[in-house]
Amino acid sequence: MLLHLRRSFTMALICLVIFGFAYAVAGTGVAQVLFKFQANGSITAHGSTLIGQNWSSPRFFHGRPDDFGPYAANSATHTSGGDNPLVANGVNGGSGATNLGPRSKVLLANTRALVAYWHSMGVSPTPDLVTTSGSGYDPDISPQDALAQIPMVAKARGLSTTVLSKLITEQTHGAQFGFLGASFVNVLQLNEALAKLG
Amino acid sequence: MAFFLTLLALVVSLGLTWRYLGSYMAAVFDGRVHFLGFVERPIYRLLGTSPEQEQTWKRYGAAVIVFSGVSLLFTYAILRLQGWLPLNPQHLGNVGSALSFNTAASFVTNTNWQNYGGETTMSYFSQIGALMVQQFVTPAVGIVVAVVLVRGFARRSSSTVGNFWVDLTRCLFYVLLPIAFAFGIVFVGEGAVMTLAGTATVHDVLNQVTQTIARGPIGFMESIKQLGTNGGGFLNANSATPFENPTGLTNFLSIYLLLSIPFALTYTFGKMVGSVRHGVALLSVMALLFGVWVGFTSFAEHQNNPAVAAAGVHSTVGNTEGKEVRFGDTSSALFAVSSTMTSTGSADAAYDSFTPIGGMGLMTGMMLGEVTPGGTGSGLYTLLIYALIAVFIGGLMIGRTPEYLGKKIQSREVKLAGLAALVMPVVVLIVTAIAVSVAAGRAGPLNAGPHGFSEILYGLTSQGNNNGSAFGGLTGNTPFYNIIGAVDMLLGRFAIMVPVLALGGALAAKNVVPESLGTFRTDNAMFVGLTIGVILIIGGLTFFPAVSLGPIVEQLSHGRFF
């Protein structure tokens, strides 16, 4: 028994050093040398391309409704933080979904409120635009989600729908290698390109 | 179409892995791999042991238990002390005692159930030194226990089953470390974060948003999290967050990694017992059940969410609530089934928001005892338990003493197998009954109606099966759930491991009886069918009543919202 204990303590320490710290430090070193940009969070001039932001102005395409935004009925989900990595605009959060079940009255009320919101913006919403994501800060929308928002952005900016749909096509990332995952548009990149159009 | 290509790519890559990783692991545990001898030898010297010093099953088992106990103590101590330890850029305080106990039990049992939000609770020191260390250690412990059972079949008239310290060291250095490190690089290349620097603050002048973004040493934890069927992520939302799982490729690789060792161990088994056909039979049991579950769960998730449909929005992209756009509905379902059927428990979507049948697929995937393909090591040894029960039933049918791989399966073996098979359902059903009977338990669920019951049932099934995934609406960070969950996890791990080790010892001591014409074949389709039948009957009989009160009622209550 004592021998087992002595060996267990020794082995636990060895593991702590090698599989904890040496592994993490070596991994960080390799990551920082090979992929500095990704390893530090893919942070560009306007934020991380991997962390969704709250776009509330009709002059921009909106991400998925994970945020506080203009969605009154979403108040029940505020604890999950929305587009809220740790703190967003002074409000504390963290990653996470609403965890509302498929037959939840709260989910139904939230979804109805979102549908009404989108209709008030002149948009006929797609499923992604009325449901929240798994992380709570999904940085992407599908090309269909972007196309659906064209009437809103076109009206606010006075741009033609053809210019906007061309922009969306340019910004669409296909499924990786043609089949892994789904095709998507990064909302931050789309809006940066949109801002350049004027 | 894209989904079928994803499945095809998965089958091909897992097939190659099954063959080559499987035979590599057999070589590792037979002591034929030595390229890291310069690391191995000093460790054996520090421990005062050597590969020549074999242990009986009792000494081996005692080492497993004592080492796990010490690991529990280390993990608990680090969490309790994190406020005073370094690598804590967010200045997070010490973790409370009940939560620390639950988390330590969770990571030492390979469960990785998380009653906390990683980015708001755990310092980098805790993430690395307490949690990630166990993500290496516990899959290795699971694998070496499976290897003991495999040696039970492979050895003849042997009083020893191997040396725990040697097996553990070899598994860690030759199997887990190189694969995890290599895939860690890929994860970071795709966009996973890997830094020891603290949070990043960004301000977007386009929309006047200021964000503080949680970062950390995530990318290299991802690879071992999946490879070791651990599942505990750095961030609260786990593999749904882009910093853990940034692209379609990393999502695919996550699925691939978490399935690779559990499937490949059937080849290792076949190789070590000298009959790859027997390994193929076990692989077939795993793969057939896995395929059925992937089929109906991804079909269910390709349907619209009932609440979204009721709000008048039509969907051609399935149930999008709680799912990330870059993965899509079917790939999220594939991830979810892979994660729940391997005792991994990582999540690239919110399982709580799956359709009733989709959620039932995940829950019942765990209720089958985590054998399809199950966790690293635990999947193989639990499946071998079911195989022995199938052999016993087959023996009863034809009226002969049952044999498996030439070893007579007698009273002692059947009792041990029966005990190991019954621990999980008994523990899970009892703790669930307790949770729904007391106010502290009923306070847990977020959702009302049958879905609320599903959240409790799912959580305690997940912990009892050492899976770790959750219907995330359950508020688990209460003294009640922290403690009952920890008991659930510890029993679900060690009350099965001990009879498995005893079985390994009992089998190793036996000699082999020569095969005859009357021997019940255990490497053909008939046996595969019989084993599947045993798994479905045990799982169905024990859990059908509970499941019908949760997801089945929910599915049948058309048009009603709770």
Side-chain angles (χ1 to χ4, degrees), chain B residues 273-296:
Chain B
V273 300
S275 164
V276 173
R277 271 184 71 93
H278 276 83
V280 174
L282 295 186
L283 172 70
S284 312
V285 173
M286 290 175 170
L288 285 170
L289 286 169
F290 178 72
V292 170
W293 257 251
V294 168
F296 81 80

Side-chain angles (χ1 to χ4, degrees), chain B residues 308-351:
Chain B
V308 175
V313 179
H314 174 70
S315 176
T316 56
V317 288
N319 173 16
T320 57
E321 174 65 26
K323 293 198 180 64
E324 298 278 304
V325 165
R326 66 191 177 285
F327 306 139
D329 54 352
T330 46
S331 283
S332 296
L334 174 63
F335 187 112
V337 174
S338 306
S339 172
T340 45
M341 286 195 130
T342 53
S343 94
T344 307
S346 54
D348 77 345
Y351 297 165

